[in-house]
Amino acid sequence: MAKDHGAQIKDDALYDELRKQGASKEKAARIANAKANGPLAHRGDRLEERTKAELLKEARDIGIAGRSTMDKAALAKAIRGHR
């Protein structure tokens, strides 16, 4: 059973799993709360249709390391792997 992290964490089990995977407390809380509020809808599943700048912003928002050296295809692959 997941530890109760209080009212600020909406999905304790997901938060605990993300922390075990090495996510920071802030990142784990942000992801757990977003998923608890419903599915994380992205602008579209076709990442290839987005600009590199849009992909970089999403990669930055979700905390993908090494994103500044990635090309558009690598960014799309990293974002897909993070979902």
Side-chain angles (χ1 to χ4, degrees):
M1 179 156 206
K3 177 184 172 192
D4 182 13
H5 297 283
Q8 70 274 16
I9 305 296
K10 306 301 182 213
D11 186 336
D12 292 314
L14 179 56
Y15 176 84
D16 287 341
E17 182 60 33
L18 291 166
R19 290 290 292 147
K20 285 179 190 172
Q21 293 174 9
S24 68
K25 289 179 182 180
E26 181 180 278
K27 181 177 177 182
R30 190 171 55 242
I31 293 169
N33 290 341
K35 287 202 177 189
N37 287 331
L40 295 177
H42 293 277
R43 193 180 86 180
D45 291 333
R46 302 271 318 149
L47 295 175
E48 292 77 15
E49 294 176 0
R50 298 186 193 181
T51 66
K52 183 175 179 184
E54 291 171 325
L55 294 174
L56 277 169
K57 182 183 180 317
E58 183 167 351
R60 181 176 47 251
D61 291 346
I62 59 180
I64 294 174
R67 64 188 173 268
S68 63
T69 61
M70 294 180 186
D71 63 10
K72 186 175 173 179
L75 285 166
K77 183 177 179 181
I79 291 169
R80 274 196 193 94
H82 191 268
R83 288 183 180 174

